């Protein structure tokens, strides 16, 4: 077997065994001891790093374990924390202004009652780009209930398409945390992830949408909750549909424009360069490009693009609509609370990736599987799926799989790196069951039993995973 091979003095089998132990420990801490995912990832990273010296003499010394943890955390958070923090404020302003409701009600009015499930699918697909899935579900649940009452149709006929749309973009389209973090770890331009995420995600949402969910809804009967009064602070005059759509599309468009500029400049570089050499020469080439290209690239950086959209949202959806500055500060501050948890978890995922590199485990994985004949995309999907099924969290599954794949992506082009990112996202999306917090949230808001949720959301998440990955493989044929 290839496991017996070695590169120099690299102890492949002991390092693979250490990795298996680390992942097993992660599962025990999360599932058995209910330790928070952030702490679990840090504990596992420290344990693996400290134990690595016993199996690999060239691994990180015990005296440098703590500094490795700190340096890896800092490197991961520099980009990820900024994106997630700004994106959280952007989503909170959309929520407070009624932008999410405006988007949903406008689409329902456009599609009509008979095609309302398609309107909810598209609503979920768009809303979950700037707004966290769980937050979007909380915001739109009352609308779903009202539609079910008004039309006398099953609640799930509207709820399940909404969830499908949200689940697809939440996993496939930045600036949601999962693909942002994976893209950073693998070193891929987010513009490519957005482009392929939309190309792959939209057909996936359609194939898993109303044609399938309507049949599910007709077979499962759930009880509608009693209508409740609207909150006192709910917006009376909703913002326009077109403006909300423009605000959401603006950062995506700018990032894609920045990616186009980068590809134009990179086309003049040698294809034989290593990733590090290519990045150095690309930075120099961009710095000497024409002022117009530099300006477009500047606006197309994810941080700048999101910041611009957020400032526009604060002004036009806040100040111009009579919201006080103190209220806007409070909204922004409150938005950073849930974001902080996600930021720390993604940072801890960066720590785990750093430890895998420093201990030699990444090289051992490449040595073990590099000549196995398993395509890189398939390997990425398998890694993510296994971790997802075992511990439930899609974010942890993405981060873990990305760390495992670092050694396999050296030399891949940006489009192929984006496809690896989406293969990981597809694997981390499927097979939701009772160890997934999203499973229980869907069950609660749609008033389904565990068995009913398994027959609906678990099946849908699995189909999103399988169809999404199939489309990743299809797109890869052209790159």
């Amino acid at each position: 077997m290839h496991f017996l091979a070695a590169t120099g003095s690299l102890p492949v089998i002991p390092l693979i065994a250490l990795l298996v132990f680390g992942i097993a420990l992660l599962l025990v801490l999360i599932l058995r001891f209910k330790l928070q995912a952030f702490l679990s990832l840090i504990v596992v990273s420290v344990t693996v790093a400290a134990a690595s010296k016993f199996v690999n003499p060239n691994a990180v010394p015990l005296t440098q374990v703590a500094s490795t943890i700190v340096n890896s955390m800092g490197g991961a958070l520099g980009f990820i924390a900024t994106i997630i923090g700004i994106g959280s404020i952007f989503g909170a302003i959309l929520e407070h202004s009624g932008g999410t409701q405006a988007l949903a009600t406008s689409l329902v009015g456009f599609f009509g009652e008979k095609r309302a499930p398609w309107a909810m699918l598209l609503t979920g697909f768009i809303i979950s780009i700037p707004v966290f899935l769980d937050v979007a579900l909380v915001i739109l649940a009352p609308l779903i209930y009202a539609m079910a009452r008004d039309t006398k149709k099953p609640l799930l006929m509207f709820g399940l398409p909404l969830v499908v749309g949200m689940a697809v973009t939440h996993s496939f389209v930045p600036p949601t945390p999962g693909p942002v973090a994976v893209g950073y770890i693998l070193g891929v331009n987010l513009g490519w992830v957005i482009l392929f995420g939309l190309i792959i995600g939209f057909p996936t949402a359609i194939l898993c949408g109303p044609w399938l969910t309507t049949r599910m809804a007709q077979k499962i009967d759930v009880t509608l909750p009693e209508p409740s009064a609207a909150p006192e602070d709910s917006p009376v005059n909703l913002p326009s549909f077109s403006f909300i759509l423009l605000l959401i599309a603006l950062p995506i468009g700018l990032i894609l424009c920045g990616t186009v500029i980068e590809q134009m400049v990179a086309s003049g570089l040698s294809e034989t360069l290593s990733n590090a050499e290519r990045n150095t020469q690309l930075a120099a080439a961009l710095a000497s490009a024409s002022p117009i290209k530099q300006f477009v690239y500047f606006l197309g950086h994810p941080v700048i693009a999101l910041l611009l959209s957020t400032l526009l949202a604060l002004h036009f959806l806040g100040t111009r609509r009579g919201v006080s500055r103190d209220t806007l500060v409070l909204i922004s501050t409150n938005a950073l609370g849930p974001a902080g948890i996600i930021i720390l978890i993604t940072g801890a995922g960066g720590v785990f990736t750093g430890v895998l590199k420093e201990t030699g485990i990444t090289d051992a994985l490449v040595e073990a599987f590099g000549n196995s004949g398993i395509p890189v995309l398939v390997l990425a999907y398998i890694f993510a799926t296994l971790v997802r099924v075992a511990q439930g969290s899609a974010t942890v599954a993405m981060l873990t799989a990305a760390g495992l794949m670092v050694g396999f992506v050296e030399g891949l082009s940006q489009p192929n790196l984006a496809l690896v990112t989406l293969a990981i996202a597809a694997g981390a999306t499927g097979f939701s069951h009772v160890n997934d917090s999203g499973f229980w949230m869907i069950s609660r808001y749609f008033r389904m039993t565990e068995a009913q949720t398994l027959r609906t959301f678990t099946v849908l998440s699995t189909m999103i995973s399988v169809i999404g990955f199939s489309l990743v493989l299809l797109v890869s044929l052209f790159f």
Side-chain angles (χ1 to χ4, degrees), residues 65-324:
V65 167
S67 60
T68 298
I69 301 298
V70 172
N71 293 337
S72 299
M73 173 68 83
L77 288 184
F79 176 73
I80 296 172
T82 309
I83 292 292
I84 296 176
I86 297 174
S88 300
I89 296 174
F90 182 41
I93 297 300
L94 288 182
E95 172 196 346
H96 182 270
S97 67
T100 49
Q101 293 96 322
L103 193 65
T105 53
S106 296
L107 287 172
V108 171
F110 176 79
F111 278 88
E113 181 181 313
K114 291 184 178 180
R115 292 184 293 274
W118 288 100
M120 298 318 300
L121 176 74
L122 188 57
T123 297
F125 191 88
I126 297 173
I127 287 296
S128 199
I129 294 175
V131 181
F132 293 152
L133 186 149
D134 52 350
V135 176
L137 182 60
V138 172
I139 296 169
L140 295 176
L143 176 64
I144 297 295
Y145 300 154
M147 290 175 62
R149 292 191 194 96
D150 294 342
T151 61
K152 309 299 182 184
K153 292 182 179 179
L155 170 65
L156 297 183
M157 187 171 290
F158 308 106
L160 291 180
L162 175 71
V163 168
V164 168
M166 291 193 299
V168 169
T169 48
H170 183 77
S171 298
F172 291 171
V173 184
T176 51
V180 166
V182 176
Y184 171 81
I185 291 172
L186 298 184
V188 57
N189 185 305
L190 287 187
W192 282 107
V193 183
I194 290 174
L195 178 62
F196 287 149
L198 292 172
I199 291 173
I200 291 167
F202 195 63
T204 300
I206 290 175
L207 292 173
C208 298
W211 290 321
L212 174 64
T213 57
T214 299
R215 290 173 174 78
M216 287 183 172
Q218 292 170 343
K219 296 178 181 179
I220 296 178
D221 184 32
V222 296
T223 305
L224 274 171
E226 292 296 325
S228 57
E232 294 182 3
D233 61 346
S234 60
V236 177
N237 298 317
L238 298 178
S240 70
F241 166 78
S242 57
F243 184 69
I244 295 300
L245 198 60
L246 175 64
L247 277 180
I248 295 174
L250 179 61
I252 294 175
L254 289 176
I255 292 171
L256 289 175
C257 288
T259 302
V260 170
I261 296 299
E262 181 179 290
Q263 287 302 116
M264 291 172 61
V265 174
S267 62
L269 302 180
S270 172
E271 296 182 358
T272 61
L273 298 173
S274 66
N275 285 348
E277 292 172 335
R278 179 185 179 278
N279 291 337
T280 301
Q281 292 194 18
L282 177 60
L286 286 168
S288 60
S290 68
I292 293 178
K293 288 183 178 179
Q294 290 190 43
F295 183 67
V296 173
Y297 185 77
F298 164 75
L299 291 179
H301 190 283
V303 171
I304 305 300
L306 264 178
L307 180 61
L308 178 59
S309 296
T310 302
L311 292 177
L312 290 174
L314 284 168
H315 178 69
F316 288 103
L317 299 181
T319 305
R320 286 283 295 271
R321 290 169 60 85
V323 181
S324 68

